[in-house]
Amino acid sequence: MIGEIYADALAGESVEIEYVDGARAPLEAARWFEPIGGDEEFLSRCSSPTLDVGSGPGRLTVALTRRGIRSLGIDITPRAVALTRRAGGFALLRDVFDDIPHSGRWATALLADGNIGIGGNPAALLHRVRHLLRPGGAVLAEVAPPGTRSRVDRLRLRRGPLAGPWFGWATVSADDIRRVALAGGFAGADCWSAHDRWFARLS
């Protein structure tokens, strides 16, 4: 159900993020189709091959392919995978905890657009991704700005009367990413900002 409602958002339907306290916010899926300020600075740090975790409609996977960097997007939504392929990128229907091709050989793994929050347990996610990387590989993650409270929310997607199941989603602040990186098995993290977005390289 999560994937179905998310696919509706990618198709242009009005979808909201609903929190357990009743608060709602629009899921602005349209912004993931076109380059966003800060993408260039983010992608310039990628090495080949790069795994784009939670790749959505594939804007970063496709951009990397056009740069000549071998890249693969993975997403749990068939529509997202189809959109990436249609745009000229390579993508597979996979959860990051599934079997991933070339495990242990990726140079870079991307957790863009807040995808470090997948599953609501950033340390567990980073442990998993670390095993997908080759020795010396790095994670490039988008994080929340300094001063943001790191937290785990329970939320679900809603399209009108139709609501998906509740799931956990984490927010990790730039203030806390080094601690989270250590908990996830990385030696540390270096942060930078571009176009009002914050990123970290974990290695």
Side-chain angles (χ1 to χ4, degrees), residues 29-177:
R31 67 190 180 93
W32 296 321
F33 283 82
E34 300 294 335
I36 301 173
D39 282 357
E40 283 298 310
E41 292 85 349
F42 191 56
L43 295 175
S44 68
R45 290 167 166 82
C46 293
S47 299
S48 187
T50 290
L51 179 69
D52 186 4
V53 178
S55 52
R59 83 174 191 282
L60 299 179
T61 304
V62 172
L64 286 169
T65 300
R66 289 173 178 166
R67 287 170 176 254
I69 293 178
R70 288 183 293 124
S71 58
L72 173 69
I74 57 171
D75 202 281
I76 62 170
T77 305
R79 183 173 182 84
V81 171
L83 287 168
T84 302
R85 292 174 176 173
R86 189 181 306 163
F90 294 96
L92 292 176
L93 187 66
R94 292 285 195 284
D95 184 291
V96 66
F97 292 97
D98 291 341
D99 289 334
I100 304 298
H102 310 300
S103 179
R105 287 182 279 173
W106 295 98
T108 309
L110 301 184
L111 293 171
D113 302 320
N115 281 341
I116 195 169
I118 289 172
N121 188 334
L125 175 62
L126 290 175
H127 266 293
R128 168 57 178 156
V129 174
R130 185 172 63 84
H131 288 292
L132 297 175
L133 294 171
R134 68 191 186 194
V139 169
L140 297 179
E142 185 168 358
V143 295
T148 305
R149 181 175 63 88
S150 295
R151 64 189 186 276
V152 177
D153 291 305
R154 295 291 294 174
L155 50 86
R156 63 184 177 181
L157 300 183
R158 175 179 287 278
R159 180 172 59 79
L162 183 64
W166 296 102
F167 60 94
W169 192 271
T171 297
V172 179
S173 170
D175 296 324
D176 298 319
I177 186 59

